[in-house]
Amino acid sequence: MTTTLNAPAGTSQGSTATEVLNRVRTFARAELLGKEEYFDSLPDQPTAEAARLHAAGLANWWIPAAYGGLGLSLADSVDIVSELAYGDAGFAFGAFLPVLGTAMLQLYGTDELARPVLERMIAGGGRLGILGSEEEAGSELGRTATTFRRDGDNLVLNGEKYFSTNSGSADLLLVLARSADDEADYAMVAVPREAPGVEIVKRWDMIGVRGSGTYQARLRDVAVPAAHRLRGNGLRHLEIGLNASRILIAATAIGVSRRIRDLSMEYAGQKRIKGARLQDNAVFAAKLGQIETLVEVMRSQCRAAAAEFDRYLEAPDGGAAALYRVGSLRSALAAKLFCGQAGWQVATLGSEMFGGLGYTHEHPIGKLVRDMRYVSVVEGGEDVMRELLYTRFVVPAGKRR
Ligand SMILES: Cc1cc2nc3c(=O)[nH]c(=O)nc-3n(C[C@H](O)[C@H](O)[C@H](O)COP(=O)(O)OP(=O)(O)OC[C@H]3O[C@@H](n4cnc5c(N)ncnc54)[C@H](O)[C@@H]3O)c2cc1C
């Protein structure tokens, strides 16, 4: 059965987490920072930098020690993602997104299914692709048209998946599908990417987070053992895993905001306005004070949401039963919604900061603005976050649908 995603409280995790964070910061400054043009060029996946993250022993840092991993908590992951995103948001996104799949696998897959996948991810630095969205079913995943049907000991899948990050190079795909015989039955099914019938149709030319790779995929009569289905309802699995990845998407906004703040300070140290350095201007000071406030509140909300998720995982069953009952966490939805909005405010301040130069490709701010946008779009837009918060947490319990 399951194990926790992170090391149990009271181990030496505190010092490990600080040490790992320092190493990630050093990695991000050395390997990611200043390579805006390269990461913005839609580099081939996996990138050489991803291989070096693995070589440094830092890839998939949240996978528990029981599988050979570092076993860092989601709360620790907030600062790790902020550091990676300070270097490049797309790289950070590609690196942490597998947490969505590993959470689902650990909590609801059998040990026979989950263990080899997780151990391989530690040994080889590999990634998982999550295939939820379809052309007609992005936020409305209940309209999923990809089907599975039982054929002896196998499940056979058919369908088209619109967006899935990392799936071009992932070892394993987790596919949301609906029973061909029972419309109410949704399954999350583990599919090796090399399985016959899996086809990567194209890589999307995204406007931001271009250091990651997002693909359209097709499944034609893809057969996998029936034991590759996770226990329970696939829609629920996705909600549960999305808690982790939505919090880390939100944490990307912290890293990008910090980068905008630091670039602004650098610029304001040289730029002169009305005979003085911009740095000494009261209007500039107020803007930077505002940015710092937003960074601080984003960080607090991400950490609080991550700590809540971590607490669920401390249960003897790894949190599987309790999380299955709650699904989406209010704190995770709020983190994603708030950080998308706060990050966008920072991006707007940043995009004005550098005058006309900031509106050219010569300056990195344009890329940072495009990268920031993904926080509000991916894994549910703002309307979707607001609707979930309303229907799950505002409507009185007895009246919820
Ligand atoms: C870079 C990137 C990476 C991605 N990676 C993955 C991945 O790995 N796996 C995966 O499965 N998917 C992935 N996606 C898909 C992504 O999660 C969806 O695109 C996103 O959730 C938005 O869904 P949608 O495209 O269906 O748009 P919709 O949510 O349908 O939005 C379209 C419009 O409908 C409005 N709307 C939607 N719901 C409501 C509502 N309840 N009330 C009012 N208005 C509403 C929106 O505000 C918007 O105006 C990725 C997308 C991107 C851009």
Side-chain angles (χ1 to χ4, degrees):
M1 169 53 187
T2 57
T3 59
T4 51
L5 288 180
N6 53 337
T11 65
S12 62
Q13 200 190 328
S15 56
T16 310
T18 309
E19 189 228 324
V20 172
L21 179 61
N22 289 335
R23 286 169 54 209
V24 169
R25 183 179 299 118
T26 305
F27 174 89
R29 306 286 160 129
E31 297 284 355
L32 310 179
L33 201 63
K35 292 189 184 169
E36 284 83 12
E37 228 174 283
Y38 159 72
F39 282 117
D40 212 20
S41 72
L42 226 58
D44 286 347
Q45 300 288 320
T47 57
E49 288 74 12
R52 287 201 281 275
L53 187 72
H54 169 59
L58 297 169
N60 302 318
W61 62 85
W62 60 90
I63 292 181
Y67 304 106
L70 295 170
L72 295 199
S73 67
L74 196 64
D76 295 325
S77 303
V78 168
D79 287 342
I80 290 177
V81 168
S82 170
E83 288 302 333
L84 290 175
Y86 188 92
D88 183 71
F91 181 88
F93 177 49
F96 74 71
L97 192 60
V99 75
L100 162 57
T102 60
M104 295 190 287
L105 258 182
Q106 278 175 240
L107 290 167
Y108 305 105
T110 59
D111 194 52
E112 296 76 58
L113 179 64
R115 178 168 291 279
V117 175
L118 297 167
E119 288 179 348
R120 265 203 315 276
M121 287 175 76
I122 290 301
R127 293 178 175 179
L128 300 178
I130 318 305
L131 283 67
S133 308
E134 297 179 4
E135 189 168 2
E136 296 294 325
S139 35
E140 285 192 291
L141 288 167
R143 291 167 62 197
T144 294
T146 296
T147 59
F148 69 92
R149 62 180 166 76
R150 186 84 190 218
D151 181 15
D153 291 337
N154 285 338
L155 296 179
V156 178
L157 290 97
N158 277 287
E160 291 256 351
K161 293 291 183 180
Y162 218 32
F163 299 117
S164 69
T165 302
N166 287 333
S167 61
S169 55
D171 301 326
L172 190 80
L173 311 176
L174 284 168
V175 181
L176 178 70
R178 195 172 187 171
S179 167
D181 307 312
D182 174 5
E183 312 208 290
D185 186 16
Y186 297 87
M188 187 62 68
V189 185
V191 176
R193 190 175 58 90
E194 297 302 329
V198 174
E199 182 195 345
I200 300 298
V201 178
K202 69 169 184 185
R203 180 176 180 181
W204 290 93
D205 189 3
M206 294 292 174
I207 65 161
V209 289
R210 289 164 62 87
S212 57
T214 298
Y215 304 84
Q216 185 173 345
R218 182 174 297 140
L219 299 110
R220 272 210 198 106
D221 291 327
V222 177
V224 296
H228 280 212
R229 176 181 180 164
L230 308 193
R231 278 184 312 279
N233 182 315
L235 289 177
R236 201 60 162 178
H237 298 144
L238 206 50
E239 267 197 36
I240 292 159
L242 284 169
N243 287 316
S245 49
R246 279 177 176 154
I247 292 166
L248 297 186
I249 288 178
T252 322
I254 305 170
V256 179
S257 296
R258 290 171 50 231
R259 177 91 172 109
I260 291 174
R261 175 199 63 195
D262 292 354
L263 281 172
S264 300
M265 281 302 285
E266 237 173 71
Y267 173 74
Q270 292 149 14
K271 172 77 180 173
R272 297 189 74 80
I273 293 284
K274 294 185 186 288
R277 286 184 317 165
L278 182 58
Q279 220 174 48
D280 302 323
N281 183 294
V283 173
F284 174 80
K287 284 183 192 165
L288 270 279
Q290 180 69 26
I291 290 178
E292 201 56 16
T293 302
L294 294 172
V295 166
E296 183 61 16
V297 180
M298 284 192 266
R299 188 186 281 131
S300 297
Q301 182 57 30
C302 287
R303 284 182 179 163
E308 185 183 2
F309 189 74
D310 288 334
R311 279 195 298 279
Y312 275 97
L313 305 180
E314 284 167 15
D317 69 344
L323 281 166
Y324 202 82
R325 278 194 298 279
V326 278
S328 295
L329 298 181
R330 171 169 33 196
S331 59
L333 298 171
K336 172 129 151 45
L337 178 59
F338 180 79
C339 291
Q341 294 172 337
W344 193 240
Q345 281 182 51
V346 175
T348 303
L349 285 168
S351 97
E352 281 183 63
M353 185 69 71
F354 307 94
L357 184 65
Y359 203 63
T360 69
H361 286 292
E362 312 260 316
H363 194 281
I365 187 65
K367 170 184 179 294
L368 295 172
V369 171
R370 286 183 281 109
D371 285 350
M372 187 70 91
R373 198 72 197 124
Y374 105 113
V375 179
S376 291
V377 171
V378 180
E379 295 193 353
E382 294 190 2
D383 289 327
V384 175
M385 294 303 104
R386 278 188 284 259
E387 195 199 20
L388 280 167
L389 282 159
Y390 178 69
T391 54
R392 302 289 175 87
F393 301 102
V394 180
V395 173
K399 297 196 172 156
R400 289 175 197 159
R401 282 177 285 125

PDB file of all heavy atoms in Angstrom, residues 354-378:
ATOM      1  N   PHE A 354      11.014  49.198 -16.595  1.00  0.00           N
ATOM      2  CA  PHE A 354      12.212  49.387 -17.421  1.00  0.00           C
ATOM      3  C   PHE A 354      11.939  50.263 -18.647  1.00  0.00           C
ATOM      4  O   PHE A 354      12.699  50.252 -19.614  1.00  0.00           O
ATOM      5  CB  PHE A 354      12.759  48.008 -17.832  1.00  0.00           C
ATOM      6  CG  PHE A 354      12.968  47.118 -16.636  1.00  0.00           C
ATOM      7  CD1 PHE A 354      11.981  46.230 -16.225  1.00  0.00           C
ATOM      8  CD2 PHE A 354      14.123  47.213 -15.886  1.00  0.00           C
ATOM      9  CE1 PHE A 354      12.149  45.437 -15.103  1.00  0.00           C
ATOM     10  CE2 PHE A 354      14.305  46.429 -14.750  1.00  0.00           C
ATOM     11  CZ  PHE A 354      13.316  45.539 -14.351  1.00  0.00           C
ATOM     12  N   GLY A 355      10.823  50.980 -18.594  1.00  0.00           N
ATOM     13  CA  GLY A 355      10.496  51.899 -19.688  1.00  0.00           C
ATOM     14  C   GLY A 355      10.390  51.153 -21.012  1.00  0.00           C
ATOM     15  O   GLY A 355       9.974  49.986 -21.044  1.00  0.00           O
ATOM     16  N   GLY A 356      10.803  51.835 -22.086  1.00  0.00           N
ATOM     17  CA  GLY A 356      10.696  51.241 -23.428  1.00  0.00           C
ATOM     18  C   GLY A 356      11.537  49.981 -23.564  1.00  0.00           C
ATOM     19  O   GLY A 356      11.136  49.016 -24.230  1.00  0.00           O
ATOM     20  N   LEU A 357      12.676  49.954 -22.897  1.00  0.00           N
ATOM     21  CA  LEU A 357      13.552  48.785 -22.973  1.00  0.00           C
ATOM     22  C   LEU A 357      12.823  47.531 -22.480  1.00  0.00           C
ATOM     23  O   LEU A 357      12.996  46.432 -23.010  1.00  0.00           O
ATOM     24  CB  LEU A 357      14.815  49.030 -22.125  1.00  0.00           C
ATOM     25  CG  LEU A 357      15.879  47.942 -22.186  1.00  0.00           C
ATOM     26  CD1 LEU A 357      16.467  47.836 -23.594  1.00  0.00           C
ATOM     27  CD2 LEU A 357      16.982  48.208 -21.166  1.00  0.00           C
ATOM     28  N   GLY A 358      11.967  47.741 -21.483  1.00  0.00           N
ATOM     29  CA  GLY A 358      11.211  46.621 -20.925  1.00  0.00           C
ATOM     30  C   GLY A 358      10.192  46.043 -21.905  1.00  0.00           C
ATOM     31  O   GLY A 358       9.649  44.959 -21.670  1.00  0.00           O
ATOM     32  N   TYR A 359       9.946  46.792 -22.982  1.00  0.00           N
ATOM     33  CA  TYR A 359       8.976  46.317 -23.980  1.00  0.00           C
ATOM     34  C   TYR A 359       9.689  45.703 -25.196  1.00  0.00           C
ATOM     35  O   TYR A 359       9.092  45.475 -26.230  1.00  0.00           O
ATOM     36  CB  TYR A 359       8.086  47.496 -24.412  1.00  0.00           C
ATOM     37  CG  TYR A 359       6.757  47.057 -24.988  1.00  0.00           C
ATOM     38  CD1 TYR A 359       5.828  46.369 -24.216  1.00  0.00           C
ATOM     39  CD2 TYR A 359       6.438  47.330 -26.327  1.00  0.00           C
ATOM     40  CE1 TYR A 359       4.624  45.960 -24.744  1.00  0.00           C
ATOM     41  CE2 TYR A 359       5.226  46.926 -26.860  1.00  0.00           C
ATOM     42  CZ  TYR A 359       4.332  46.232 -26.064  1.00  0.00           C
ATOM     43  OH  TYR A 359       3.139  45.819 -26.593  1.00  0.00           O
ATOM     44  N   THR A 360      10.970  45.469 -25.033  1.00  0.00           N
ATOM     45  CA  THR A 360      11.744  44.842 -26.120  1.00  0.00           C
ATOM     46  C   THR A 360      12.181  43.440 -25.696  1.00  0.00           C
ATOM     47  O   THR A 360      12.121  43.109 -24.504  1.00  0.00           O
ATOM     48  CB  THR A 360      13.032  45.655 -26.412  1.00  0.00           C
ATOM     49  OG1 THR A 360      13.922  45.507 -25.291  1.00  0.00           O
ATOM     50  CG2 THR A 360      12.742  47.128 -26.643  1.00  0.00           C
ATOM     51  N   HIS A 361      12.628  42.682 -26.676  1.00  0.00           N
ATOM     52  CA  HIS A 361      13.165  41.348 -26.360  1.00  0.00           C
ATOM     53  C   HIS A 361      14.585  41.428 -25.809  1.00  0.00           C
ATOM     54  O   HIS A 361      15.186  40.415 -25.485  1.00  0.00           O
ATOM     55  CB  HIS A 361      13.139  40.454 -27.605  1.00  0.00           C
ATOM     56  CG  HIS A 361      11.751  39.986 -27.948  1.00  0.00           C
ATOM     57  ND1 HIS A 361      11.047  39.106 -27.155  1.00  0.00           N
ATOM     58  CD2 HIS A 361      10.928  40.292 -28.983  1.00  0.00           C
ATOM     59  CE1 HIS A 361       9.860  38.891 -27.684  1.00  0.00           C
ATOM     60  NE2 HIS A 361       9.758  39.598 -28.798  1.00  0.00           N
ATOM     61  N   GLU A 362      15.119  42.648 -25.746  1.00  0.00           N
ATOM     62  CA  GLU A 362      16.491  42.797 -25.238  1.00  0.00           C
ATOM     63  C   GLU A 362      16.537  42.646 -23.725  1.00  0.00           C
ATOM     64  O   GLU A 362      17.601  42.471 -23.158  1.00  0.00           O
ATOM     65  CB  GLU A 362      17.037  44.202 -25.581  1.00  0.00           C
ATOM     66  CG  GLU A 362      16.838  44.612 -27.007  1.00  0.00           C
ATOM     67  CD  GLU A 362      18.080  44.421 -27.838  1.00  0.00           C
ATOM     68  OE1 GLU A 362      19.157  44.771 -27.363  1.00  0.00           O
ATOM     69  OE2 GLU A 362      17.943  43.897 -28.962  1.00  0.00           O
ATOM     70  N   HIS A 363      15.395  42.791 -23.096  1.00  0.00           N
ATOM     71  CA  HIS A 363      15.344  42.758 -21.631  1.00  0.00           C
ATOM     72  C   HIS A 363      14.534  41.537 -21.184  1.00  0.00           C
ATOM     73  O   HIS A 363      13.513  41.216 -21.795  1.00  0.00           O
ATOM     74  CB  HIS A 363      14.699  44.057 -21.112  1.00  0.00           C
ATOM     75  CG  HIS A 363      14.918  44.248 -19.656  1.00  0.00           C
ATOM     76  ND1 HIS A 363      14.171  43.593 -18.702  1.00  0.00           N
ATOM     77  CD2 HIS A 363      15.820  45.001 -18.982  1.00  0.00           C
ATOM     78  CE1 HIS A 363      14.622  43.942 -17.507  1.00  0.00           C
ATOM     79  NE2 HIS A 363      15.614  44.794 -17.635  1.00  0.00           N
ATOM     80  N   PRO A 364      14.960  40.874 -20.108  1.00  0.00           N
ATOM     81  CA  PRO A 364      14.256  39.650 -19.687  1.00  0.00           C
ATOM     82  C   PRO A 364      12.844  39.861 -19.135  1.00  0.00           C
ATOM     83  O   PRO A 364      12.110  38.887 -18.980  1.00  0.00           O
ATOM     84  CB  PRO A 364      15.159  39.065 -18.593  1.00  0.00           C
ATOM     85  CG  PRO A 364      16.163  40.088 -18.258  1.00  0.00           C
ATOM     86  CD  PRO A 364      16.206  41.096 -19.353  1.00  0.00           C
ATOM     87  N   ILE A 365      12.451  41.107 -18.862  1.00  0.00           N
ATOM     88  CA  ILE A 365      11.147  41.286 -18.200  1.00  0.00           C
ATOM     89  C   ILE A 365       9.981  40.742 -19.044  1.00  0.00           C
ATOM     90  O   ILE A 365       9.017  40.190 -18.501  1.00  0.00           O
ATOM     91  CB  ILE A 365      10.906  42.778 -17.812  1.00  0.00           C
ATOM     92  CG1 ILE A 365       9.633  42.918 -16.970  1.00  0.00           C
ATOM     93  CG2 ILE A 365      10.857  43.684 -19.019  1.00  0.00           C
ATOM     94  CD1 ILE A 365       9.661  42.263 -15.621  1.00  0.00           C
ATOM     95  N   GLY A 366      10.098  40.856 -20.368  1.00  0.00           N
ATOM     96  CA  GLY A 366       9.013  40.360 -21.231  1.00  0.00           C
ATOM     97  C   GLY A 366       8.796  38.867 -21.015  1.00  0.00           C
ATOM     98  O   GLY A 366       7.656  38.386 -20.894  1.00  0.00           O
ATOM     99  N   LYS A 367       9.881  38.127 -20.923  1.00  0.00           N
ATOM    100  CA  LYS A 367       9.789  36.681 -20.678  1.00  0.00           C
ATOM    101  C   LYS A 367       9.188  36.418 -19.293  1.00  0.00           C
ATOM    102  O   LYS A 367       8.343  35.528 -19.130  1.00  0.00           O
ATOM    103  CB  LYS A 367      11.176  36.045 -20.788  1.00  0.00           C
ATOM    104  CG  LYS A 367      11.219  34.599 -20.326  1.00  0.00           C
ATOM    105  CD  LYS A 367      12.624  34.047 -20.360  1.00  0.00           C
ATOM    106  CE  LYS A 367      12.686  32.610 -19.875  1.00  0.00           C
ATOM    107  NZ  LYS A 367      12.366  32.444 -18.458  1.00  0.00           N
ATOM    108  N   LEU A 368       9.606  37.198 -18.316  1.00  0.00           N
ATOM    109  CA  LEU A 368       9.100  36.973 -16.953  1.00  0.00           C
ATOM    110  C   LEU A 368       7.590  37.223 -16.891  1.00  0.00           C
ATOM    111  O   LEU A 368       6.856  36.508 -16.210  1.00  0.00           O
ATOM    112  CB  LEU A 368       9.851  37.872 -15.956  1.00  0.00           C
ATOM    113  CG  LEU A 368      11.346  37.557 -15.821  1.00  0.00           C
ATOM    114  CD1 LEU A 368      12.061  38.609 -14.972  1.00  0.00           C
ATOM    115  CD2 LEU A 368      11.569  36.172 -15.217  1.00  0.00           C
ATOM    116  N   VAL A 369       7.124  38.215 -17.628  1.00  0.00           N
ATOM    117  CA  VAL A 369       5.682  38.496 -17.673  1.00  0.00           C
ATOM    118  C   VAL A 369       4.948  37.312 -18.304  1.00  0.00           C
ATOM    119  O   VAL A 369       3.940  36.826 -17.784  1.00  0.00           O
ATOM    120  CB  VAL A 369       5.386  39.800 -18.460  1.00  0.00           C
ATOM    121  CG1 VAL A 369       3.894  39.980 -18.688  1.00  0.00           C
ATOM    122  CG2 VAL A 369       5.967  41.010 -17.726  1.00  0.00           C
ATOM    123  N   ARG A 370       5.482  36.805 -19.416  1.00  0.00           N
ATOM    124  CA  ARG A 370       4.829  35.655 -20.081  1.00  0.00           C
ATOM    125  C   ARG A 370       4.874  34.416 -19.193  1.00  0.00           C
ATOM    126  O   ARG A 370       3.902  33.667 -19.105  1.00  0.00           O
ATOM    127  CB  ARG A 370       5.513  35.376 -21.433  1.00  0.00           C
ATOM    128  CG  ARG A 370       5.160  36.407 -22.499  1.00  0.00           C
ATOM    129  CD  ARG A 370       5.777  36.089 -23.848  1.00  0.00           C
ATOM    130  NE  ARG A 370       7.188  36.442 -23.951  1.00  0.00           N
ATOM    131  CZ  ARG A 370       8.194  35.581 -24.009  1.00  0.00           C
ATOM    132  NH1 ARG A 370       7.959  34.280 -24.015  1.00  0.00           N
ATOM    133  NH2 ARG A 370       9.446  36.001 -24.106  1.00  0.00           N
ATOM    134  N   ASP A 371       6.006  34.224 -18.534  1.00  0.00           N
ATOM    135  CA  ASP A 371       6.101  33.072 -17.622  1.00  0.00           C
ATOM    136  C   ASP A 371       5.078  33.194 -16.490  1.00  0.00           C
ATOM    137  O   ASP A 371       4.426  32.214 -16.114  1.00  0.00           O
ATOM    138  CB  ASP A 371       7.514  32.986 -17.004  1.00  0.00           C
ATOM    139  CG  ASP A 371       8.563  32.458 -17.982  1.00  0.00           C
ATOM    140  OD1 ASP A 371       8.177  31.980 -19.065  1.00  0.00           O
ATOM    141  OD2 ASP A 371       9.762  32.510 -17.646  1.00  0.00           O
ATOM    142  N   MET A 372       4.959  34.391 -15.953  1.00  0.00           N
ATOM    143  CA  MET A 372       4.060  34.591 -14.806  1.00  0.00           C
ATOM    144  C   MET A 372       2.619  34.236 -15.162  1.00  0.00           C
ATOM    145  O   MET A 372       1.861  33.739 -14.325  1.00  0.00           O
ATOM    146  CB  MET A 372       4.132  36.050 -14.338  1.00  0.00           C
ATOM    147  CG  MET A 372       3.379  36.321 -13.062  1.00  0.00           C
ATOM    148  SD  MET A 372       4.187  35.567 -11.631  1.00  0.00           S
ATOM    149  CE  MET A 372       5.272  36.906 -11.099  1.00  0.00           C
ATOM    150  N   ARG A 373       2.246  34.467 -16.387  1.00  0.00           N
ATOM    151  CA  ARG A 373       0.846  34.266 -16.786  1.00  0.00           C
ATOM    152  C   ARG A 373       0.387  32.828 -16.533  1.00  0.00           C
ATOM    153  O   ARG A 373      -0.792  32.572 -16.280  1.00  0.00           O
ATOM    154  CB  ARG A 373       0.670  34.633 -18.270  1.00  0.00           C
ATOM    155  CG  ARG A 373      -0.755  34.868 -18.646  1.00  0.00           C
ATOM    156  CD  ARG A 373      -1.258  36.181 -18.050  1.00  0.00           C
ATOM    157  NE  ARG A 373      -2.707  36.276 -18.049  1.00  0.00           N
ATOM    158  CZ  ARG A 373      -3.437  36.506 -16.952  1.00  0.00           C
ATOM    159  NH1 ARG A 373      -2.874  36.677 -15.782  1.00  0.00           N
ATOM    160  NH2 ARG A 373      -4.739  36.594 -17.027  1.00  0.00           N
ATOM    161  N   TYR A 374       1.311  31.893 -16.615  1.00  0.00           N
ATOM    162  CA  TYR A 374       0.891  30.482 -16.522  1.00  0.00           C
ATOM    163  C   TYR A 374       0.293  30.156 -15.156  1.00  0.00           C
ATOM    164  O   TYR A 374      -0.519  29.256 -15.028  1.00  0.00           O
ATOM    165  CB  TYR A 374       2.063  29.553 -16.882  1.00  0.00           C
ATOM    166  CG  TYR A 374       2.746  28.832 -15.728  1.00  0.00           C
ATOM    167  CD1 TYR A 374       2.651  27.459 -15.596  1.00  0.00           C
ATOM    168  CD2 TYR A 374       3.487  29.523 -14.775  1.00  0.00           C
ATOM    169  CE1 TYR A 374       3.271  26.789 -14.543  1.00  0.00           C
ATOM    170  CE2 TYR A 374       4.116  28.855 -13.727  1.00  0.00           C
ATOM    171  CZ  TYR A 374       3.994  27.503 -13.614  1.00  0.00           C
ATOM    172  OH  TYR A 374       4.592  26.848 -12.571  1.00  0.00           O
ATOM    173  N   VAL A 375       0.692  30.933 -14.140  1.00  0.00           N
ATOM    174  CA  VAL A 375       0.209  30.640 -12.774  1.00  0.00           C
ATOM    175  C   VAL A 375      -1.317  30.716 -12.735  1.00  0.00           C
ATOM    176  O   VAL A 375      -1.977  29.907 -12.076  1.00  0.00           O
ATOM    177  CB  VAL A 375       0.841  31.616 -11.748  1.00  0.00           C
ATOM    178  CG1 VAL A 375       0.338  31.340 -10.345  1.00  0.00           C
ATOM    179  CG2 VAL A 375       2.364  31.528 -11.804  1.00  0.00           C
ATOM    180  N   SER A 376      -1.871  31.664 -13.472  1.00  0.00           N
ATOM    181  CA  SER A 376      -3.333  31.831 -13.472  1.00  0.00           C
ATOM    182  C   SER A 376      -4.045  30.917 -14.455  1.00  0.00           C
ATOM    183  O   SER A 376      -5.262  30.823 -14.424  1.00  0.00           O
ATOM    184  CB  SER A 376      -3.696  33.278 -13.827  1.00  0.00           C
ATOM    185  OG  SER A 376      -3.308  34.122 -12.780  1.00  0.00           O
ATOM    186  N   VAL A 377      -3.301  30.292 -15.351  1.00  0.00           N
ATOM    187  CA  VAL A 377      -3.950  29.533 -16.432  1.00  0.00           C
ATOM    188  C   VAL A 377      -3.913  28.017 -16.189  1.00  0.00           C
ATOM    189  O   VAL A 377      -4.935  27.326 -16.293  1.00  0.00           O
ATOM    190  CB  VAL A 377      -3.273  29.857 -17.796  1.00  0.00           C
ATOM    191  CG1 VAL A 377      -3.779  28.935 -18.892  1.00  0.00           C
ATOM    192  CG2 VAL A 377      -3.502  31.313 -18.171  1.00  0.00           C
ATOM    193  N   VAL A 378      -2.733  27.507 -15.856  1.00  0.00           N
ATOM    194  CA  VAL A 378      -2.529  26.049 -15.839  1.00  0.00           C
ATOM    195  C   VAL A 378      -3.148  25.431 -14.575  1.00  0.00           C
ATOM    196  O   VAL A 378      -3.114  26.018 -13.510  1.00  0.00           O
ATOM    197  CB  VAL A 378      -1.019  25.736 -15.936  1.00  0.00           C
ATOM    198  CG1 VAL A 378      -0.768  24.236 -15.925  1.00  0.00           C
ATOM    199  CG2 VAL A 378      -0.452  26.348 -17.214  1.00  0.00           C
TER     200      VAL A 378
END
